[in-house]
Amino acid sequence: MSEQKKDLPQREAIEEKYRWRLEDIYSTDEAWEKEYLSVSEQVEKLKSLQGQLAQNSATLLQALQWQDELGQKMEKLFTYARMRRDENNSNTVYQALTDRITALSSDVSSQTAFLLPEILAIPDGTLQQFLQKEQGLALYRFALDDLRRQKPHVLSEKEEALLAQTSEVTQAASKIFTMLNNADITFPTVKDSQGQEIQITHGRYGQLMESRDRELRRQTFQALYHTYQGLENTIAATLGTAVKRDVVMARIRNHSSALERALFSDNISVEVYDNLIKAVRQHLPTFYRYVELRKKELKVEELHMYDLYTPIVEGVDWQIPYEEAISMVQESLKPLGEEYCTILQKAFQNRWIDVYENRGKTSGAYAWGPYGVHPYVLMNYQEKLSDVFTLSHEMGHALHSHYSYQKQPYVYAHYSIFVAEVASTVNESLLIHHLLKIEKDKTKRRYLLNHYLEQFRGTVFRQTMFAEFEKLIHHKVEKGEALTPEVLKSSYRQLNHDYYGPAMVVDEEIDVEWARIPHFYNNFYVYKYATGFAAATALTKRIIEDGEKAVGPYLEFLAGGSSDYPLELLKKAGVDMSTPGPVEESLALFEQLLEELATL
């Protein structure tokens, strides 16, 4: 545990080659400031067209083009400020920059709120004439058609302007939780079997829970969740506020539920969400067999929640330095072709990635970056096999963005969240297939199978449980019920009993796990991990079996951005997520892998 020192290093102590190069966005903070000050002029230019969009096609085109230019500039400003803050959340300079651009975003949204209702007020016949007359509008045809679809849920110009002014306030619950969870919260130290004190951090928690030292796992588990239990009233209030926001916004937008509103932007029916939960619940008996196998292999009388993450295969201390992880990822992704691998190499060489944990750094991992530059990846690398998969996962996101940025104009450059987890999970699937193909050592092979089954557990079963929890708590608020800590804990506890089955001891501490899940502040997001995993399973099978024949449509999917609805983009790549087929296919693979592990 070489990285598990009591105190995390300061940002400056991390070697430069392991820190992302945000200077590719703005060379200095002063350059950011200059662009920030230029926004008001661009907003005024756009506002000068207010009331004129229906007059002629040229004016409509100009408004759409200026809107794109403004959006691209705001995206650069926001990503730079936020990613600088993520380097060290206690840095007040970048806290201030993030606050300023967040406030400006709200103001810009308010001042440009006239665009949507004014475009929707253009009669259909007039809009069709504009499209025929103005060649430049052809680019915006799909976007304009999608706007017409949204018409029943768009308010008047005045109401939209008022609503836009509330955007910063409606994000308050998420912001408060982020600062509490990343900047203010402090976890206790625990002692390992040698008596060495280890400071628990977000980044280290996963590593500690994989430890073979069961007492260390138990201490870590209890210490972390007792910290959250001490904050359960505060975090219940922030989560409850976020859920109320979702419910209120759904009502304001004339949707029948918060869930329907969340799925509407992707043009996805509620049945897709419900079918996922139904399919996973039907396969829970197979998952119970995995839980029972874990209990047997760990040789414990009782299987506790803190026993879920340690590998069930003994004798494998697989520490993987970052440079080795890069080689593993590159080799595994060769089936995606030379072009893909060249871009991947460029990302590794040109400091797109922020690798190691430092004091104040945002926990976890993500891929993000502004159009017109390139994507970035935030990591908290700890030299575990799971970190190699995280690296592959986030590079999947990054290259998905890269392809979309390169092939799509700004209006279609940002892919839907529904397909966001597909490319990342294809990368992970290719990595596990590669490792299983080359690994001859029986113990390591069992270790890899265990890891792959854990991917299913964490991405399909666990995220679906999260999705069901989200649906449950939103439904409670829609019925007028309060989300007290007791309500949240009892609901969460019952779901853990349902999903993990009779072989699992559902420890009291896990009742408050909801308090540490940041995704719950981005409503109905997590189900997309499970659907994305299912789609990726089907696509990976095609890529491995059909080679170039499957790779071509897959890369076209990556380059599709949001130029079509997500289900349609996936159909073009060869997967139909409107049916339960891909979910069933992935769960059948889980059962197959479980059988192989049990046999070994």
Side-chain angles (χ1 to χ4, degrees), residues 91-106:
N91 187 318
T92 55
V93 172
Y94 297 116
Q95 285 181 18
L97 255 61
T98 302
D99 287 346
R100 287 172 62 201
I101 190 59
T102 301
L104 182 62
S105 296
S106 178

Side-chain angles (χ1 to χ4, degrees), residues 266 414-422 522 524-525 528-529 566:
D266 288 331
H414 300 89
Y415 49 80
S416 158
I417 298 297
F418 184 83
V419 297
E421 297 306 329
V422 174
N522 189 355
F524 301 109
Y525 179 101
K528 298 166 189 176
Y529 284 109

Side-chain angles (χ1 to χ4, degrees), residues 308-354:
L308 277 173
Y309 295 91
T310 188
I312 61 177
V313 182
E314 290 191 56
V316 180
D317 184 17
W318 208 338
Q319 294 222 322
I320 304 167
Y322 179 64
E323 282 72 17
E324 186 180 334
I326 289 175
S327 297
M328 292 168 71
V329 170
Q330 288 176 317
E331 191 65 29
S332 70
L333 297 181
K334 282 185 176 179
L336 293 178
E338 185 178 345
E339 179 188 79
Y340 189 96
C341 291
T342 300
I343 299 165
L344 190 69
Q345 178 69 17
K346 182 180 177 182
F348 288 132
Q349 290 178 339
N350 294 344
R351 290 175 54 201
W352 291 14
I353 306 164
D354 204 78

Side-chain angles (χ1 to χ4, degrees), residues 251-266:
R251 289 170 179 164
I252 288 172
R253 293 284 183 197
N254 301 312
H255 290 282
S256 62
S257 68
L259 176 58
E260 184 189 274
R261 176 176 179 260
L263 303 185
F264 178 79
S265 62
D266 288 331

